[in-house]
Amino acid sequence: MNKSRIGILTGGGDCAGLNPAIKWVVKTALDERLEAERGVRYEVLGIRDGWKGLVEVDTAGPARWEFNMHGHDAARPVLLTQDAVRTWDRYGGTMLGTSRTNPYDPKKDRSSEVLANIEKLGLEALIVIGGEDTLGVAHKLSHKGVNVVGIPKTIDKDLPGTDYTLGFETALNVITEEVDRLRTTAGSHKRIFVVETMGRDAGWLALEGGESSGAYIILIPEYDFSIQKVNELLLEGKRMGSRYDIIVVAEGAKPVGGTQAVARKGVDSFGHETLGGIGEALATEIQDATGLETRSIVLSHLQRGGAPCAYDRRMGRYFGIAAVDLVVREDFDKMVSFRGGAITAVPLKEATGKLHVVDVKTMYDVERYNGRRAILR
Ligand code: F6P
């Protein structure tokens, strides 16, 4: 029986949970029961470095596709075996590598090369693990006849069409652990600490990270904050006897009438600026206005690093298995999704539209700049 070849890639910012998803795509696709039950045999070809690995490809063929953990030639895909991926659910990042390469970059459109390479590599289906940008490319390619299936990932949890995106829970654990660490030193010195999390357009990381770490103030991109109000809340806390306080602010949050803090000039090939700096700016303003000693830290890429937590390992597993189920069903241009407590699938179009952001009305306390205090009313 001929084998059908599935390609798999990870694109955009890395996060924990990617390797478990890759592992379970491979284990499911290569399960011999699939052959007995459905009469299909698959092999899985790992594409290196996101879309970059399909722009310039060494199409020399299977003889060159042996898996080598140490060699990393972006142009050379690797045949993934069950043995190669056996331990991958323990590891953070992505063994396949990733990039922010956009084949549809308006400055240099390379989508025709990607299409030609998919053909040359003999990929009958392509499983794409990514956020809005990476999955947006997948959706465009499906209009050109590529059989794509998406798996959602981003620590920002801002993809529409799913309640969960890989990497989010591990990032929350990092925020919670780091705030716990800060509390002892903040308390000893009676300082305010401003903790800047990632979250460009959506405040999920700051909101849920702030909730799980018990932050006093949480600032999110969905609601512009007043610096006077922040200072008043801090002074009120002091009057009530608090020795120190923790503020969690998303990198994309901004003051009323202000703009997002940009760390570096220029944009990536998807048109995004690199945000960063709101935490330090806020700390300076607070200290100047209140006289309370205030420091800031940026959690930055620590939130994307480290081993996946138990939840990301399980969700990676379920998403990986479900992605292969869609390939078997030939149900393409879909993204696997977690909705209402169940694994399901949604059209990719739905997953790449408007971002999924915090609903301020039901989830954010605009009086206290914190998580909601009413849940059942
Ligand atoms: O998109 C996910 C994200 O974590 C954003 O929150 C952040 O702005 C961005 O990635 C930073 O990515 P990088 O520094 O890797 O380009």
Side-chain angles (χ1 to χ4, degrees), residues 33 84 90 118 188 215 278 283 321 343 364:
R33 281 173 303 178
R90 295 177 221 162
I118 288 173
S188 308
I278 182 64
I321 294 171
I343 303 289
Y364 188 65

Side-chain angles (χ1 to χ4, degrees), residues 13 100 154-156 198-200 251 273-275 301 304:
R100 292 201 187 272
T154 161
I155 66 165
D156 291 1
M198 280 189 177
R200 201 195 292 271
E251 62 177 0
E273 289 180 306
T274 306
L275 299 184
H301 296 78
R304 298 218 306 242

Side-chain angles (χ1 to χ4, degrees), residues 25-36 40 42 82:
V25 163
V26 173
K27 283 188 72 75
T28 312
L30 269 48
D31 189 340
E32 63 281 0
R33 281 173 303 178
L34 202 57
E35 190 182 340
V40 280
Y42 292 109
Q82 299 210 51

